[in-house]
Amino acid sequence: MAAVKTQVGIIGGGPSGLLLSQLLHLNGIDNIVLEKHSREYVLGRIRAGVLEHGFAKLMREADCGDRMDTEGEVHDGFFIAYNGKKNRVDLKGLTGGSSVVVYGQTELTRDLYDARAKLGGVVVHLAEDVQPHDITSKTPYLTYVKDGKKCRVDCDFIIGADGFHGISRKSIPADKIRLYERSYPFGWLGVLSNTKPVSPELIYASHARGFALCSLRSQFLSRYYIQVPIEQNASDWSDDAFWAELKLRLPNDVVAHLETGPSIEKSVAPLRSFVAEPMRYGNMFLAGDAAHIVPPTGARGLNSAASDIYYLYHALMDHYRNGDDAGLREYSQKALARVWKGQRFSWWMTTLLHRFPDNSVFDNRLQQTELDYLFSSEKALAALAENYVGLPF
Ligand code: FAD
Ligand code: PHB
């Protein structure tokens, strides 16, 4: 069996794994990333669009911020539409100057892949059957199969950055991990289209027929979502049916400007809240979606992953540079404190804006009152804005 030695073995070449790999490499810490899929497959998944400033800062620290800073758009606010009217959330004004960056996860991941390649970083694609071993020992290792051959990576630490369906969390004995979960009875049907975005700023719409979101990737590329029952698939929706339903859920003055066109990607994402505690088992540390998932309504998922990476990267630097393990010991507790705040905010935004099939008329009136209260109270809006731009790391 071919064997190599590294300091940090990273499972998963999504944004979490790649960002950590790049930051460690820049600081002289040797690492290897094992990714199950091809680069093209990973880049084909259309996911996050909104980055908080803390994430953008970390991308710059990783020498990966140039394209994000030129092609990404800084957004100082967004809209919440209900009762046929748009209401603006002035992020910048409400937070004393903070904003978010609209830059797609596909582009961000491409930048990270390019940066890893430029520095000669090792990212093994199509690594099959990745398995962590001896996790609680001082000499953990990973095995995987590549082109039919079994390979081994010896390391000091394993990072599980392999997303919700990955192997790392599942390798932890059931009595050593606690799972908290809520699933929602709906998903988001998303469409990407080469059309001019209907609004320069995002519009989150609450409507009796269900939630809708108007987002974008650039001034030529739009991303729209509608809430659909959990049992529906993308193939159940023709493009025409999608646009017709979207129009029904948006205010008339928005619909008047909506440019429609063929979808270039269409998929359904289920909505789920999930946290695994603790985020450490022996010498394996979980990061990003491997440890926690939020419904996308608050645009927190990737941003929560970034805060894990921030804490982990500093903890590993303290270990290798100063022989100080306090950061590693405190990682799970520190990361989870922020993760749970992201969970609360995402659950709140989801509950505020979606139609729940078994809601009573009382629940619906409360939802309406919550929206009315929000737009009548500067303090309530400020709390929303503070969470949306991202709490401090
Ligand atoms: P992933 O992106 O899941 O990466 C994990 C990687 O590990 C994958 O490449 C996978 O192929 C690989 N892998 C899996 N199993 C194995 C294995 N056994 N061995 C090796 N490799 C493996 N977040 C935001 O912050 N803002 C948003 O606006 C936003 N919008 C979203 C919209 C949608 C529709 C969705 C679905 C999500 C959205 N998110 C958003 C969430 C965000 O996309 C995720 O939080 C983010 O992808 C997490 O990154 P990750 O690297 O932790 O996990
Ligand atoms: C997106 O553009 O894909 C997007 C934007 C905001 C969200 C979720 C997804 O809250």
Side-chain angles (χ1 to χ4, degrees), residues 57-84:
K57 206 167 147 217
L58 210 53
M59 283 290 283
R60 290 182 203 112
E61 197 169 334
D63 266 355
C64 289
D66 289 354
R67 212 159 63 89
M68 176 188 75
D69 284 332
T70 48
E71 294 176 22
E73 290 185 13
V74 174
H75 282 211
D76 294 337
F78 67 87
F79 295 95
I80 293 183
Y82 72 103
N83 291 350

Side-chain angles (χ1 to χ4, degrees), residues 223-243:
R223 181 69 166 162
Y224 296 103
Y225 297 97
I226 55 171
Q227 170 188 349
V228 294
I230 192 67
E231 33 323 316
Q232 291 189 358
N233 301 307
S235 56
D236 298 332
W237 287 81
S238 67
D239 287 359
D240 286 347
F242 176 84
W243 293 119

Side-chain angles (χ1 to χ4, degrees), residues 2-288:
V4 289
K5 170 101 186 89
T6 190
Q7 289 172 302
V8 181
I10 301 174
I11 312 179
S16 301
L18 293 170
L19 181 58
L20 182 65
S21 167
Q22 175 74 358
L23 287 164
L24 293 179
H25 190 138
L26 288 172
N27 286 282
I29 301 169
D30 195 42
N31 66 84
I32 291 179
V33 177
L34 301 179
E35 165 58 49
K36 180 178 177 176
H37 292 291
S38 68
R39 180 186 156 118
E40 293 65 39
Y41 180 93
V42 176
L43 293 178
R45 289 187 298 221
I46 309 298
R47 287 181 168 181
V50 175
L51 311 179
E52 64 187 41
H53 56 101
F55 190 103
K57 206 167 147 217
L58 210 53
M59 283 290 283
R60 290 182 203 112
E61 197 169 334
D63 266 355
C64 289
D66 289 354
R67 212 159 63 89
M68 176 188 75
D69 284 332
T70 48
E71 294 176 22
E73 290 185 13
V74 174
H75 282 211
D76 294 337
F78 67 87
F79 295 95
I80 293 183
Y82 72 103
N83 291 350
K85 195 170 150 279
K86 280 189 317 181
N87 305 271
R88 186 161 187 269
V89 180
D90 174 10
L91 292 174
K92 197 169 182 178
L94 289 160
T95 59
S98 293
S99 45
V100 292
V101 178
V102 171
Y103 189 61
Q105 182 167 335
T106 297
E107 299 313 316
L108 173 153
T109 309
R110 197 191 307 281
D111 295 344
L112 287 164
Y113 276 141
D114 289 349
R116 295 313 298 117
K118 202 165 142 198
L119 290 185
V122 183
V123 181
V124 181
H125 280 283
L126 299 168
E128 293 166 49
D129 193 23
V130 177
Q131 296 290 343
H133 304 270
D134 294 355
I135 304 174
T136 53
S137 80
K138 286 204 165 116
T139 52
Y141 65 98
L142 297 166
T143 54
Y144 65 99
V145 176
K146 172 81 184 175
D147 298 330
K149 291 195 197 81
K150 195 155 184 183
C151 309
R152 171 176 170 143
V153 180
D154 290 283
C155 49
D156 304 329
F157 301 105
I158 294 172
I159 308 301
D162 47 353
F164 182 67
H165 299 287
I167 186 70
S168 46
R169 188 186 66 249
K170 292 177 192 145
S171 311
I172 301 174
D175 61 339
K176 300 287 184 220
I177 193 159
R178 179 146 188 206
L179 310 179
Y180 299 84
E181 182 161 16
R182 165 168 299 179
S183 46
Y184 299 82
F186 39 76
W188 278 16
L189 171 64
V191 156
L192 191 69
S193 70
N194 280 316
T195 50
K196 185 173 156 46
V198 70
S199 160
E201 292 184 338
L202 273 67
I203 304 173
Y204 292 78
S206 169
H207 190 274
R209 297 183 67 88
F211 169 80
L213 170 62
C214 308
S215 183
L216 62 149
R217 293 292 176 271
S218 72
Q219 283 313 310
F220 316 98
L221 194 57
S222 303
R223 181 69 166 162
Y224 296 103
Y225 297 97
I226 55 171
Q227 170 188 349
V228 294
I230 192 67
E231 33 323 316
Q232 291 189 358
N233 301 307
S235 56
D236 298 332
W237 287 81
S238 67
D239 287 359
D240 286 347
F242 176 84
W243 293 119
E245 185 59 39
L246 178 65
K247 284 179 181 172
L248 290 173
R249 299 183 188 188
L250 298 175
N252 292 337
D253 60 329
V254 177
V255 174
H257 296 107
L258 182 69
E259 192 179 298
T260 62
S263 62
I264 50 177
E265 194 269 356
K266 199 193 285 162
S267 51
V268 174
L271 266 64
R272 182 185 278 125
S273 300
F274 173 86
V275 182
E277 283 189 3
M279 289 169 60
R280 172 184 193 170
Y281 176 59
N283 279 317
M284 180 169 78
F285 296 83
L286 302 178

